[in-house]
Amino acid sequence: MYNFTFHVPTTIHFGKGQISHLDELAQYGKKALLCYGSGSIKRNGIYDEALRILGQAGVEVEELSGVEPNPRIETVRRGVETCKTTGVDMVLAIGGGSTIDCAKVVAAGARYDGDPWDLVIHPEKITAALPIFSVLTLSATGSEMDPFAVISDMTKNEKWGTAAECMKPTMSVLDPTYTFTVSRRQTAAGTADMMSHTFENYFTMEPGAYVQQRMAEGLLRTMIHYGPIALEEPDNYEARANLMWAASHAINGLVNAGAANAWCVHPMEHELSAFYDITHGEGLAILTPAWMEHVLSVKTAPMFATYGRNVWGLQGTDDMSVARDAIAKTREFFFVTMGMPANLRAVGIDDEKNFRVMAEKAAAGSKGSFVPLTADDIVEIYRAAL
Amino acid sequence: MYNFTFHVPTTIHFGKGQISHLDELAQYGKKALLCYGSGSIKRNGIYDEALRILGQAGVEVEELSGVEPNPRIETVRRGVETCKTTGVDMVLAIGGGSTIDCAKVVAAGARYDGDPWDLVIHPEKITAALPIFSVLTLSATGSEMDPFAVISDMTKNEKWGTAAECMKPTMSVLDPTYTFTVSRRQTAAGTADMMSHTFENYFTMEPGAYVQQRMAEGLLRTMIHYGPIALEEPDNYEARANLMWAASHAINGLVNAGAANAWCVHPMEHELSAFYDITHGEGLAILTPAWMEHVLSVKTAPMFATYGRNVWGLQGTDDMSVARDAIAKTREFFFVTMGMPANLRAVGIDDEKNFRVMAEKAAAGSKGSFVPLTADDIVEIYRAAL
């Protein structure tokens, strides 16, 4: 097990009705910037409920609406400007991971003299942030309990992740009923995203990270068990609750502290989103089995076989055979059980013209991963996924 | 899944050499109360190393030595007195759970006007505490990352647990090499203790706590895998590291938030320790299979069968049969594999004379447990364990 520091300071209020805890924001100041997306929180009543509670607690509200699914740096700049001109004390995101990611960089940008894009490409420049709060409406990214944010500049086809200790939310409300209205397609994409986070941490060359791997298997089993139930019964509380809580733990440090190597599927997918603006979780689902098949070898077969036995309940003593079956199970889960697009053509990417440039950038972002990938490897994976 | 609040603010510095982080104490004040036990930390060099780092960081040290394995209220009172008369700013425990528990109540007592025993029997009176730090030398109780403390008043045969948000440590150093010198007997007792914490949370009547149960199974598999390795190879880093990190997660909220009912084996064991001052982990190991057998029924068999399948890899479709085998495996693990005392006589409890009074007290402490236990039930469990 590698040395590590583990620190998860976020207070989570989990369950039906926990939005009442938004009154705690009054302890942090008088004015909050409320960040949200396309306005679905107005249709489902969460917006009104939040404003009512904040109003009763004496917290004034400024707004940053229209945060995109792959949040843009232009939106971050708009939020920072509002913070600086109106004296905002804290930032409250109501939405999914994109909204929370945007709110995080707004909060850091409000305490930075310069263009917030600096903070995306140079995380070390993030030294302070306004307190960050969230009300989660989509189970996927884990942003509600982690230090990460991913921001895009579509004018440059750039999408990068950044991170800082001070961007970990102070408090997040996780009410599974808020995800009842998430569409079939977004439920599937969210499940693929949380599974990919777990995979990126689970497949490690550090053999001593036993407890992290056993917990990761518990998360994967939960996602595989409840993902299909949530598709069929969108208002099944038990399914939505388990997916929501598993997603948070997939990326908050629990399964990567002491175990982690660099991620590789996420960097490959970020290039797809940066060039084609596709849905992140769909890109991950498309790339994951192709990546697994590419890195399967005599050396990695025991890890994939352990995955097959402990997550999928596969039997058999031949590691390579169990490993192949495990990858086939993963493919079947995403593309049959969860009904997700099975290749890049299905999300509108019809040719190879950007593969080389994307692969060069992704290779730079995945140094030191489970199986180190060159740009040539990544081009092959993109091709296999086409 | 029940509604819950999850909050684990402790910073963990995990791994070899992480004691260097003790210099962070300088951020919290000028003087620390150093709590420790019988002096083994002087023989193995941790004491000198800690004093050197604190000295270089400009932190003065007062001492509270001689903290007992079942820490006494008299020792807590002595520590509180030192805090109040010497102007201590923070408390640093170096040792196992008993030392950390003692340090926690000292830290709370230093901010309380009255006898610290009040804080043991009335947790709600704990409203503030000095900052608490720990360097862990025994994997067992999880006190390094939780709000709990257990303190005894042997003059009254009383041993009670207390808890407060402000007693969660600010920072803990977990260096697995510090547990290389833990004896065979204490290694076994520690493993039983962490397994019992996991069991108390795992066996729940809340059917929707799926992800918590899958993570609990990961912890149990880790403890069962590495407990015997640590017995045979006390300086096996991988074994000590996995046991240490699993123990912290068994009780920090991860596997009980949203799932928990009242505990019952711990209250039964606390009475044994309060009356006979036996080793806590040995008492838990002795009582656990007897408790499992007592509460096994048509209603609980599916839970025990799930435990057998997911933790012990048992096959078979008849729940009652798999449940019985799982309990037998548990019994064999503690008393054969780990070589622990198998019954109360083996730890010097030869007669039933205190069973009734202990059972009455334990029954009061375990209301609302997995299977509610009356005093009559508990007397039967004690008898079965005799």
Side-chain angles (χ1 to χ4, degrees), chain A residues 141-164:
Chain A
T141 73
S143 190
E144 65 277 9
M145 204 177 181
D146 77 18
F148 306 110
V150 181
I151 302 295
S152 297
D153 184 342
M154 297 307 283
T155 65
K156 300 177 190 159
N157 293 133
E158 298 274 0
K159 178 178 181 177
W160 293 107
T162 185

Side-chain angles (χ1 to χ4, degrees), chain A residues 210-211 214-219 221-222 254, chain B residues 194-204 209-224 246-247 249-251 253-257 259 303 306-307 310-312:
Chain A
Y210 189 96
V211 67
R214 299 295 85 72
M215 291 194 286
E217 287 158 0
L219 297 178
R221 290 184 60 181
T222 301
L254 184 74
Chain B
M194 63 181 85
M195 286 177 68
S196 181
H197 295 153
T198 316
F199 287 142
E200 300 266 25
N201 295 319
Y202 178 70
F203 290 103
T204 170
Y210 189 96
V211 67
Q212 291 89 340
Q213 291 188 311
R214 298 296 84 74
M215 290 194 286
E217 287 159 358
L219 297 179
L220 289 168
R221 289 184 60 181
T222 301
M223 297 162 191
I224 288 165
H249 285 299
I251 193 171
L254 183 74
V255 296
N256 61 303
M303 263 302 303
T306 299
Y307 161 62
N310 291 346
V311 175
W312 291 103

Side-chain angles (χ1 to χ4, degrees), chain B residues 362-382:
Chain B
S366 61
K367 284 195 178 91
S369 63
F370 174 54
V371 176
L373 301 176
T374 63
D376 286 346
D377 289 311
I378 296 173
V379 168
E380 277 185 50
I381 293 167
Y382 285 145

Side-chain angles (χ1 to χ4, degrees), chain B residues 27-44:
Chain B
Q27 300 164 25
Y28 296 86
K30 291 183 182 308
K31 190 182 283 190
L33 179 71
L34 172 60
C35 306
Y36 59 99
S38 61
S40 63
I41 64 165
K42 290 191 175 173
R43 291 190 294 280
N44 60 24

Side-chain angles (χ1 to χ4, degrees), chain B residues 169-189:
Chain B
T170 299
M171 184 266 275
S172 290
V173 171
L174 274 60
D175 182 337
T177 68
Y178 292 169
T179 65
F180 284 178
T181 55
V182 173
S183 70
R184 233 182 128 79
R185 184 179 164 192
Q186 289 298 336
T187 298

Side-chain angles (χ1 to χ4, degrees), chain A residues 301-306 308-309 313-325:
Chain A
M303 264 301 305
F304 284 106
T306 299
R309 294 185 185 109
L314 298 175
Q315 308 287 324
T317 54
D318 178 57
D319 279 354
M320 185 56 80
S321 165
V322 176
R324 286 212 182 91
D325 289 350

